Amino acid sequence: NEQGEISLYLLHDDLFCIIQVYGGLLHIMNSNRCNLEICVDSWPNFNTVICRRQNKDLRSHPVQFPNLCTMFTKDLVNLRATLMDDRVIDWTQDTIVRGIPHTYCDLIKEVATSSGMDVKEFKDYSLMVNHNPESLQHNKSDPTLKISSLQVSHAELVVKHTAFRGSDLTLSHVRSCIQHLPSACILDDSGNPVSWCLSDELCEMRMSSTLYEYRRTGYMKTVLIALSKQMHEMGFPVYGHVAEGNTAAINMFKSLNNNFVPGKYAVQILVFKRAS
């Protein structure tokens, strides 16, 4: 609406893709350092919304983000037609499709593979959403902890502990997220991060980790509270995904009064690369 608010009382199957599109839209409205744009199938009445990277040579841009998109539709037939329009998605480029409910997946894979793309699927992630900043206020952090924001110099440490490590683009992406978007961490006495989480161009809290020797200390909960408060204060949605089998993370998110979208509505991430 005109106040920039979003209702989170939506159908579970659509919530994750809506909140990701909304997160991208907020960054577009706030300087758009992430180089995103919104495409719709028609205007002013539309059925399909796609949030994508702007059509430009991403490699030459000083802010390095991967070519990604996320989408929401009320009509799968309409979504198919939109995805087959090469003005919307360039299926000759490696592309990450994020936050997709299972009901979209087969359709997107069919369109992409028919254009000569190979697909790698990461699935069975559940959604955690915090839409009530007051629920975080009673969580007080240890005053002796050094809570800070990540610095660009910390990017290699973050990438080392992420599942998508090993790519120069991943390192550039993490550096850009740290430089331009909210993050939080706990520093040791030497000023090095021991627990951290950052946010990305769709406002999702991601890439959280705690060094092994500092686990089971409550540090990650402190980091998530700090980052969640930042996001709420900036008017951004507060959400993230967690693997269905990660019961420790799910219980921690629940302890922060996050809404948990059950597993049968699990979301997927699709990574498309040009077939060799």
Side-chain angles (χ1 to χ4, degrees), residues 26-27 30-35 53 61-65 149-152 172-183 198-201 203 227 230-231 234 236:
L26 286 179
H27 278 312
N30 287 273
S31 77
N32 199 20
R33 292 189 181 96
C34 308
N35 311 307
R53 194 74 63 207
H61 198 277
V63 179
Q64 291 294 309
F65 289 101
S149 296
L150 289 166
Q151 303 298 314
V152 173
S172 296
H173 181 211
V174 170
R175 284 174 174 157
S176 294
C177 287
I178 291 173
Q179 183 175 0
H180 298 287
L181 305 174
S183 66
L198 54 80
S199 62
D200 70 6
E201 59 269 56
C203 291
L227 182 53
Q230 280 190 67
M231 302 289 281
M234 298 175 74
F236 293 154

Side-chain angles (χ1 to χ4, degrees), residues 3 6 71 139 147 169 198 213 219 227 229 237 274:
Q3 288 72 41
I6 183 171
M71 60 199 70
N139 289 283
I147 303 173
L169 182 57
L198 54 80
E213 58 269 32
Y219 281 12
L227 182 53
K229 288 180 177 179
R274 196 70 189 166

Side-chain angles (χ1 to χ4, degrees), residues 64 155-157 159 164 167-176:
Q64 291 294 309
E156 290 187 4
L157 175 65
V159 171
F164 300 98
S167 164
D168 289 341
L169 182 57
T170 299
L171 180 58
S172 296
H173 181 211
V174 170
R175 284 174 174 157
S176 294

Side-chain angles (χ1 to χ4, degrees), residues 126-192:
S126 297
L127 172 65
M128 298 290 181
V129 183
N130 185 293
H131 61 272
N132 181 12
E134 294 182 0
S135 67
L136 301 170
Q137 297 307 314
H138 70 278
N139 289 283
K140 303 299 182 181
S141 61
D142 182 343
T144 65
L145 294 178
K146 298 179 181 179
I147 303 173
S148 183
S149 296
L150 289 166
Q151 303 298 314
V152 173
S153 59
H154 301 147
E156 290 187 4
L157 175 65
V158 173
V159 171
K160 181 181 178 181
H161 292 271
T162 184
F164 300 98
R165 59 186 176 272
S167 164
D168 289 341
L169 182 57
T170 299
L171 180 58
S172 296
H173 181 211
V174 170
R175 284 174 174 157
S176 294
C177 287
I178 291 173
Q179 183 175 0
H180 298 287
L181 305 174
S183 66
C185 66
I186 292 176
L187 304 175
D188 64 13
D189 293 338
S190 300
N192 299 312

Side-chain angles (χ1 to χ4, degrees), residues 59-256:
R59 293 167 297 181
S60 64
H61 198 277
V63 179
Q64 291 294 309
F65 289 101
N67 188 35
L68 68 74
C69 66
T70 189
M71 60 199 70
F72 166 72
T73 190
K74 296 183 287 184
D75 183 339
L76 289 177
V77 174
N78 181 271
L79 176 61
R80 178 190 295 275
T82 303
L83 291 175
M84 293 181 69
D85 187 336
D86 58 14
R87 297 172 300 173
V88 178
I89 302 292
D90 181 0
W91 291 114
T92 67
Q93 293 188 33
D94 294 353
T95 301
I96 300 172
V97 182
R98 286 260 308 279
I100 303 302
H102 64 92
T103 49
Y104 297 13
C105 273
D106 288 344
L107 186 156
I108 297 171
K109 288 190 289 187
E110 178 185 334
V111 172
T113 54
S114 69
S115 300
M117 304 296 283
D118 289 334
V119 58
K120 187 174 183 179
E121 186 172 356
F122 300 86
K123 60 182 181 178
D124 299 331
Y125 293 102
S126 297
L127 172 65
M128 298 290 181
V129 183
N130 185 293
H131 61 272
N132 181 12
E134 294 182 0
S135 67
L136 301 170
Q137 297 307 314
H138 70 278
N139 289 283
K140 303 299 182 181
S141 61
D142 182 343
T144 65
L145 294 178
K146 298 179 181 179
I147 303 173
S148 183
S149 296
L150 289 166
Q151 303 298 314
V152 173
S153 59
H154 301 147
E156 290 187 4
L157 175 65
V158 173
V159 171
K160 181 181 178 181
H161 292 271
T162 184
F164 300 98
R165 59 186 176 272
S167 164
D168 289 341
L169 182 57
T170 299
L171 180 58
S172 296
H173 181 211
V174 170
R175 284 174 174 157
S176 294
C177 287
I178 291 173
Q179 183 175 0
H180 298 287
L181 305 174
S183 66
C185 66
I186 292 176
L187 304 175
D188 64 13
D189 293 338
S190 300
N192 299 312
V194 298
S195 185
W196 61 83
C197 186
L198 54 80
S199 62
D200 70 6
E201 59 269 56
L202 301 178
C203 291
E204 183 179 358
M205 300 197 305
R206 297 180 59 211
M207 303 188 199
S208 60
S209 188
T210 300
L211 297 183
Y212 181 80
E213 58 269 32
Y214 293 91
R215 292 178 184 175
R216 300 186 182 277
T217 59
Y219 281 12
M220 180 52 64
K221 184 174 182 178
T222 298
V223 166
L224 292 175
I225 291 171
L227 182 53
S228 297
K229 288 180 177 179
Q230 280 190 67
M231 302 289 281
H232 277 305
E233 289 170 0
M234 298 175 74
F236 293 154
V238 176
Y239 73 100
H241 68 263
V242 60
E244 285 185 6
N246 192 342
T247 54
I250 290 173
N251 290 335
M252 180 181 63
F253 275 108
K254 285 183 175 180
S255 73
L256 296 175

